[in-house]
Amino acid sequence: MGWDIIDYYESGKIPETAARYDDIKFSIKNIEGKNGDYGVGVYLDTNIFDNVKPRNWNKILTRYVYDNLAGKDVIAYDRNGNEEIISFAKKNERAQKSDATNSHRVIDKLARNRGNIQALSTVHIDELLQTAKYESSNSEHSHQWLDENGWEYRKTYVQDKKGKIYEATLNIANAKDGRRILYSISNIKEVDEGVVPSTRNGRGSLTNHRLLIEPTIPQNRNGVNSNISENDTNYEIMKE
């Protein structure tokens, strides 16, 4: 393309075509390990947690999820290659699991991810959606309105900066109102290791959250400040 999409987003002059999910794929790479080629996956190269102690990653992640994912939609593709909208729960949407005593904020299932790979994958969640492949589905209904129409599970592969390769599952709930809500990332397990791929110069924390869109109205998405104070968070993480 003849223009720099980042410049458009930061200036607020966003052409309609810039709101397409697949215009830029900063961290989408072919992942190849010692034991084989895993196809297209995501290289976890965000620097949003740089210089932050691991015990405080949860504060950065919570703020990131609430500021950049909650209530947003992305354009992804179904198993037949057709465009579809995948949503993230709104900040105050709650559901109660059938065996739980209290309800929980749905978005907190992503915001409270604790493992390092889970946290890194959450920051790259739009790219994981782009690379994930359909695995299975079921009609389970245990979260009230959230999964009234069952679940779909998609598998993808990610690689960290040390070269370790992981398999991960995206859990997508088919809600009562017709939305397909990305609820959680689960079943993360190390499967191989390989060569660390080259990256775009200094991309850092500029992940594809700029392409998280309302379905028909492109909007300006400000970049994430990777220098957020470790003590700067106003969001309560609810326990399920």
Side-chain angles (χ1 to χ4, degrees):
M1 57 188 71
W3 38 267
D4 187 333
I5 194 169
I6 299 301
D7 291 340
Y8 273 95
Y9 271 95
E10 298 199 342
S11 69
K13 300 175 182 178
I14 310 171
E16 184 175 355
T17 54
R20 305 286 301 176
Y21 183 87
D22 55 355
D23 275 342
I24 53 176
K25 306 179 182 67
F26 283 134
S27 299
I28 293 179
K29 310 284 184 181
N30 189 75
I31 295 183
E32 187 171 357
K34 293 180 178 178
N35 298 321
D37 189 336
Y38 296 88
V40 177
V42 178
Y43 179 50
L44 305 175
D45 61 345
T46 178
N47 66 6
I48 193 173
F49 300 115
D50 284 2
N51 302 315
V52 178
K53 295 177 182 178
R55 67 173 180 269
N56 291 320
W57 277 28
N58 64 306
K59 298 177 182 180
I60 303 299
L61 183 65
T62 299
R63 178 167 178 175
Y64 177 87
V65 169
Y66 270 79
D67 286 350
N68 296 283
L69 300 182
K72 304 299 192 301
D73 300 320
V74 300
I75 296 175
Y77 298 92
D78 65 19
R79 54 179 162 169
N80 297 315
N82 300 314
E83 286 188 358
E84 65 177 348
I85 297 294
I86 301 294
S87 302
F88 294 93
K90 299 174 184 177
K91 292 179 181 180
N92 295 318
E93 287 185 312
R94 305 180 73 90
Q96 184 172 334
K97 193 174 180 180
S98 56
D99 60 356
T101 302
N102 301 310
S103 66
H104 66 282
R105 289 177 182 164
V106 176
I107 195 64
D108 280 347
K109 196 67 176 180
L110 290 173
R112 71 187 188 190
N113 279 336
R114 289 294 181 267
N116 287 2
I117 300 302
Q118 258 195 333
L120 290 166
S121 295
T122 301
V123 177
H124 286 274
I125 193 66
D126 49 342
E127 292 167 313
L128 266 67
L129 273 169
Q130 177 73 11
T131 61
K133 305 297 182 184
Y134 175 85
E135 184 174 26
S136 64
S137 58
N138 63 43
S139 58
E140 180 184 344
H141 173 40
S142 59
H143 290 71
Q144 300 179 316
W145 61 272
L146 178 65
D147 62 350
E148 178 140 334
N149 296 304
W151 293 86
E152 180 177 318
Y153 305 98
R154 300 183 185 184
K155 182 188 294 185
T156 190
Y157 293 91
V158 300
Q159 185 175 27
D160 67 15
K161 292 180 180 179
K162 296 180 180 179
K164 293 183 178 180
I165 298 170
Y166 300 83
E167 178 183 285
T169 299
L170 304 184
N171 303 291
I172 300 172
N174 296 312
K176 181 178 182 178
D177 61 6
R179 281 181 296 164
R180 294 169 58 72
I181 297 176
L182 201 163
Y183 179 62
S184 64
I185 305 170
S186 65
N187 299 328
I188 295 177
K189 60 182 180 181
E190 184 179 344
V191 295
D192 204 349
E193 59 181 321
V195 177
V196 175
S198 60
T199 60
R200 175 169 170 165
N201 294 335
R203 185 184 71 81
S205 61
L206 297 177
T207 59
N208 275 1
H209 72 264
R210 285 189 169 86
L211 298 186
L212 293 166
I213 62 169
E214 306 300 340
T216 57
I217 306 175
Q219 297 184 15
N220 186 24
R221 306 295 185 209
N222 293 327
V224 174
N225 180 0
S226 60
N227 294 317
I228 299 171
S229 166
E230 295 180 6
N231 299 314
D232 185 7
T233 179
N234 298 316
Y235 304 119
E236 176 185 6
I237 299 178
M238 308 299 291
K239 292 185 177 180
E240 183 173 344

